[in-house]
Amino acid sequence: MLLQDLAFAARTLRKSPVFTLTAVLTIALGVGASTAIFSVTNAVLLRPLPYKNPDQLVIIPTDMRNRGVKDFPFSNEVFMDVRDATKDEFQGMAGVFAFPITLTGDDGTPEQAKAGIVTTNYFSLVGARFTYGRDFSEQDGLPQPPPPPPAPGANTPPPPRLPIMAIISWEYFQRRFGGNPAILGQSPLNRGKPFSPQIIGVLAPRFQLYFPASSDILAAPEIYIANRIKYDNAQRLSVSMRVIARLKPGVPLAAAQAAVDEAAAEQRKIAPILDTAGFAMRVVPMQRQLVSEVRPTILALMSAVVFLLLIACANVANLLLVRASLRERELALRAAIGASWWALARQMLVEAFLLAAMGALGGLALAWLGIHELILIAPANLPRLDTIRIDGAVLAYTAVSSLLAGALFGLAAAWRASRPDVMTVLRGGSRTEGLAHGGVSRKIVVVVEVALAYVLLIGSGLMIRSFIELQHIDPGFNPHGLLTFQLQSDRFPQTQQERAVAARQLEDRLRAIPGVQSVTASSPFPLTGGYSPIRWGLEDAIADASKFKACDPLIVLPGYFETMRTPLIEGRTFTEEDNQPGRTYAVIDSILAGRAFPGHSAIGKRILIRIVTPQPVWVEIIGVVAHQRGVSLSEPGREQVFFADAYLGSGATDRWAIRTGTDPAAYANEVRASLKAFDPHLLITEMQPMDALVDKTQAGTRFSLLLIGVFAVIAALLAGVGLYGVLSTVVRQRTSEIGVRMALGAGRGNIFKLVVGHGLRLTGIGIAAGLIAAFALTRGMATMLVGVKATDPATFVTMAAVFFLLAALACWLPAWRAASLSPTVALRDA
């Protein structure tokens, strides 16, 4: 029976190629878009992390609640204290920090590598697999022996240092050593240098660290070094480590949180500075923490494509309803000769599912193409980007969504087909008789389409407003004409004076390049991240340390603000005389100035800063500049304080920038040649125009805008097509009425207004329903928006006007046809 129905459905659809192609393409658009976005959702939000029992793994970030600092690293000492205090709740606790390093090959060529410093239990805790060699042992993490106490008149040599033990990634093993296992037990990296680790193991392919992008942890280090931790209470506030842990079986998250709360309270007792800072710790499931920054965006996109799929279903449902109405005489004949209501309904359902199956195949092809494009335009903070693919879960989603789609758009037609008015249809002679039935259903479907499409248009409008706002945000400097790059070397001058001289020589050499207007360097650099907050305070903070607040420090060369073209608000900037050891001058940004000295000049005033010494010291403010965006254009970030390079001992600046009068990218080769001539051991990385950095910070908003915008346009067009189809059917259905009206004196304008008014009424009802839904649903987009509220009235009104314009265009052709009818022809054809 089913095979017969399928064969009949295939023959029927083959006889209507335009209808079949239209329906299949519509379904393919909805299924393809939703499948592509689901592949992202599956890879980022749903697929378990590739670790052993990943649901037991948690990340433990620390917060300084009194200073507004979140997700702060651990010091070695705090890590060991908390680890020992929570053994009843956790199977183990491990730490990591990762950073780029410069290595020198056997031929003297510098090479950048990504390194991670891990506690020796890190790989065993997550269940990492090894291709060659072994994991770290506890012996590999023993601290270096302390130097012997000085004895009068004795010249005791220091004890030999323990070797640096390393494990490398499979990818680095293949690229650097050609997959040769003979390197195990050797020290082939940085041979002959103090840092020359001994390789003891090779990880299995594709091992990664999973932390949010804001943690500044490299996802795929190439070299992992065993952390030889020593307990030194004096270094309790020297932080660098990100911490993970594994819950013991049966231990709930709340119990683990209670345990770390007790450990945090103990730390506040040990270190009063942690108490005044409001030190606290959180226990967050690893997967939840990993996606915390992108989860709202992914869910918003998934909601958008579900709406698009529903609109596609509604469109096809309308097509099937019209088709069922046109086939009502056929269905009535079949009912008259004995076909049951179920046989008639089943036939329409089989046709619907056959359309859905063909649409699903087309959707999979579109999704395959779409995933490739998604990966190209996805923002850098999207985790597990390389795992996005069409797998079993995605195929299951496609199958289920297509099945549900077929049911959604097939049921209405099946219901209509199962209840033919046999006597009326067989007795009626009009060619539009069938169209008189099912009109209410078609109108309801169009209203639903309009409502869903309007919600998507509002989401698109909000993202457009956000993107426009991003373009108008002042980053605190002029990015145009800047070429930026990072310099690294494994050969650093030993003394502060030598480092200062080297920096000046490098600056002079770059400035000598024809067309270069100025040169500067800083650490960190705007819009690159890597900021680590320090304390600042006023006089009252001496007596009450809770008065200290957090700010971001930047180390800069004299001329930095002039090269960056950061506006000077008052005072002056650094000179070469300020860039000397012992000078305690600072330049602050406008945010810090406003909070420290509201309504007063900050010039000549002092603030307490802790950055070099264990205790805060006074620094004098010589200038106030505009605030620079440090991580993102969408987030202002903390207040900032700037120091001259010599304040930290010279040589602290590693990110350079040159200002040119023309396209900065054109200077890249000359800059590289000049730097290599200065020192062939310099490693030049991340060379790019500053405009490219600014562009990267907009990637997340652009990604969401592009996708939601495309979905909204498709949805609006589908809704317009649905409206056009209903009005065309209405015109055919009411041909007799139109003829009578025209015979009684109604003009073409009256008929035109009648049809357009009918379409705009349906649009108005749909927009009213969509308005209610949008007020509730767009609130979930709040974290994605910049400078605009989720319920922005201007966006709601604008998108309503846009949709009414689209609806008017969809109404125009059916209305023009109706107005062009001849009364005689209309009455004869009715």
Side-chain angles (χ1 to χ4, degrees), residues 314-334:
N315 211 286
V316 177
N318 242 329
L319 291 174
L320 286 173
L321 283 170
V322 172
R323 182 174 168 79
S325 297
L326 292 173
R327 295 172 62 189
E328 194 143 12
R329 178 173 292 274
E330 169 205 332
L331 297 171
L333 284 171
R334 292 178 63 188

Side-chain angles (χ1 to χ4, degrees), residues 647-666:
Y647 188 78
L648 285 187
S650 296
T653 55
D654 63 346
R655 289 190 176 268
W656 290 73
I658 63 169
R659 181 164 291 281
T660 67
T662 56
D663 177 17

Side-chain angles (χ1 to χ4, degrees), residues 576-591:
E576 287 295 339
E577 292 182 357
D578 300 322
N579 193 26
Q580 303 294 328
R583 301 293 176 93
T584 55
Y585 294 145
V587 173
I588 62 175
D589 74 338
S590 54
I591 298 179

Side-chain angles (χ1 to χ4, degrees), residues 255-544:
Q257 183 63 60
V260 300
D261 286 343
E262 290 184 17
E266 190 62 31
Q267 291 302 308
R268 293 194 294 270
K269 293 176 184 177
I270 295 172
I273 186 174
L274 296 180
D275 185 38
T276 57
F279 175 79
M281 293 182 287
R282 289 175 285 126
V283 181
V284 188
M286 181 177 281
Q287 184 143 359
R288 186 199 303 172
Q289 181 75 351
L290 172 66
V291 303
S292 58
E293 298 168 13
V294 299
R295 184 182 180 87
T297 299
I298 299 299
L299 292 180
L301 292 176
M302 196 65 219
S303 300
V305 291
V306 168
F307 272 33
L308 180 60
L309 182 58
L310 289 174
I311 292 169
C313 290
N315 211 286
V316 177
N318 242 329
L319 291 174
L320 286 173
L321 283 170
V322 172
R323 182 174 168 79
S325 297
L326 292 173
R327 295 172 62 189
E328 194 143 12
R329 178 173 292 274
E330 169 205 332
L331 297 171
L333 284 171
R334 292 178 63 188
I337 61 176
S340 67
W341 69 269
W342 169 239
L344 298 177
R346 187 181 66 231
Q347 185 58 55
M348 299 303 292
L349 282 174
V350 168
E351 287 185 21
F353 285 125
L354 188 56
L355 288 172
M358 291 187 289
L361 292 175
L364 269 179
L366 290 176
W368 184 81
L369 295 172
I371 288 170
H372 180 263
E373 297 302 318
L374 283 175
I375 293 174
L376 291 179
I377 66 173
N381 69 334
L382 195 65
R384 299 207 277 174
L385 193 62
D386 59 332
T387 67
I388 298 174
R389 62 182 183 273
I390 294 179
D391 58 9
V394 175
L395 289 174
Y397 169 84
T398 304
V400 171
S401 61
S402 303
L403 188 67
L404 290 176
L408 279 174
F409 61 69
L411 282 174
W415 175 256
R416 177 68 252 161
S418 67
R419 303 171 63 225
D421 189 342
V422 177
M423 297 304 296
T424 301
V425 171
L426 293 179
R427 195 169 50 234
S430 171
R431 286 181 291 177
T432 61
E433 182 72 40
L435 293 174
H437 303 284
V440 174
S441 301
R442 293 193 293 273
K443 293 173 186 176
I444 291 174
V445 170
V446 166
V447 167
V448 171
E449 279 190 83
V450 170
L452 294 173
Y454 180 55
V455 173
L456 275 181
L457 277 176
I458 288 176
S460 176
L462 292 172
M463 294 308 303
I464 291 172
R465 288 284 307 276
S466 293
F467 195 72
I468 293 172
E469 288 293 325
L470 271 180
Q471 310 309 305
H472 291 92
I473 288 176
D474 182 5
F477 55 89
N478 182 356
H480 309 306
L482 282 176
L483 180 68
T484 71
F485 50 92
Q486 187 173 24
L487 293 181
Q488 300 177 50
S489 176
D490 64 341
R491 304 192 312 166
F492 291 99
Q494 295 300 307
T495 68
Q496 176 173 342
Q497 183 177 1
E498 289 173 335
R499 292 193 297 271
V501 169
R504 283 194 294 272
Q505 290 175 342
L506 183 56
E507 191 176 354
D508 291 341
R509 180 173 285 270
L510 290 170
R511 193 181 290 111
I513 298 174
V516 172
Q517 298 174 351
S518 58
V519 180
T520 193
S522 76
S523 184
F525 199 73
L527 298 181
T528 61
Y531 288 78
S532 183
I534 60 173
R535 285 184 292 159
W536 74 271
L538 301 173
E539 189 83 37
D540 57 356
I542 298 175
D544 182 1

Side-chain angles (χ1 to χ4, degrees), residues 490-798:
D490 64 341
R491 304 192 312 166
F492 291 99
Q494 295 300 307
T495 68
Q496 176 173 342
Q497 183 177 1
E498 289 173 335
R499 292 193 297 271
V501 169
R504 283 194 294 272
Q505 290 175 342
L506 183 56
E507 191 176 354
D508 291 341
R509 180 173 285 270
L510 290 170
R511 193 181 290 111
I513 298 174
V516 172
Q517 298 174 351
S518 58
V519 180
T520 193
S522 76
S523 184
F525 199 73
L527 298 181
T528 61
Y531 288 78
S532 183
I534 60 173
R535 285 184 292 159
W536 74 271
L538 301 173
E539 189 83 37
D540 57 356
I542 298 175
D544 182 1
S546 65
K547 301 289 186 181
F548 278 107
K549 300 176 180 63
C551 69
D552 288 331
L554 289 91
I555 309 302
V556 302
L557 291 180
Y560 169 79
F561 302 106
E562 290 76 10
T563 299
M564 299 296 291
R565 294 185 182 171
T566 296
L568 177 65
I569 296 173
E570 63 172 335
R572 65 179 180 85
T573 59
F574 295 118
T575 65
E576 287 295 339
E577 292 182 357
D578 300 322
N579 193 26
Q580 303 294 328
R583 301 293 176 93
T584 55
Y585 294 145
V587 173
I588 62 175
D589 74 338
S590 54
I591 298 179
L592 198 155
R595 291 177 180 172
F597 313 106
H600 297 85
S601 171
I603 304 305
K605 304 266 193 332
R606 299 189 307 166
I607 59 174
L608 285 165
I609 289 288
R610 180 193 177 275
I611 185 173
V612 178
T613 58
Q615 296 302 320
V617 298
W618 289 107
V619 296
E620 180 182 343
I621 299 169
I622 62 170
V624 177
V625 297
H627 176 73
Q628 296 181 348
R629 299 284 167 128
V631 178
S632 167
L633 284 178
S634 60
E635 294 293 334
R638 282 182 288 265
E639 50 263 50
Q640 296 162 338
V641 58
F642 299 84
F643 298 99
D645 187 35
Y647 188 78
L648 285 187
S650 296
T653 55
D654 63 346
R655 289 190 176 268
W656 290 73
I658 63 169
R659 181 164 291 281
T660 67
T662 56
D663 177 17
Y667 289 79
N669 291 335
E670 288 185 75
V671 169
R672 290 183 185 277
S674 181
L675 293 171
K676 287 299 182 183
F678 174 74
D679 183 354
H681 292 273
L682 280 176
L683 185 63
I684 309 161
T685 60
E686 301 181 36
M687 183 173 285
Q688 59 189 321
M690 190 71 206
D691 285 324
L693 274 175
V694 173
D695 193 60
K696 284 181 182 177
T697 67
Q698 302 174 4
T701 301
R702 188 187 304 108
F703 179 71
S704 303
L705 166 62
L706 181 62
L707 293 181
I708 293 179
V710 168
F711 300 154
V713 169
I714 294 173
L717 290 176
L718 288 177
V721 169
L723 185 61
Y724 165 81
V726 164
L727 291 180
S728 295
T729 304
V730 166
V731 170
R732 294 172 64 188
Q733 176 188 332
R734 299 175 67 179
T735 298
S736 176
E737 176 193 339
I738 291 171
V740 171
R741 285 175 179 266
M742 297 180 77
L744 293 176
R748 291 173 181 259
N750 300 110
I751 301 301
F752 190 89
K753 290 178 183 178
L754 175 70
V755 177
V756 171
H758 185 75
L760 293 183
R761 279 194 299 275
L762 291 178
T763 303
I765 296 170
I767 286 178
L771 187 67
I772 297 171
F775 265 110
L777 296 174
T778 54
R779 297 177 189 275
M781 297 178 62
T783 59
M784 302 164 57
L785 304 178
V786 179
V788 61
K789 293 182 178 179
T791 55
D792 177 54
T795 302
F796 278 62
V797 171
T798 301

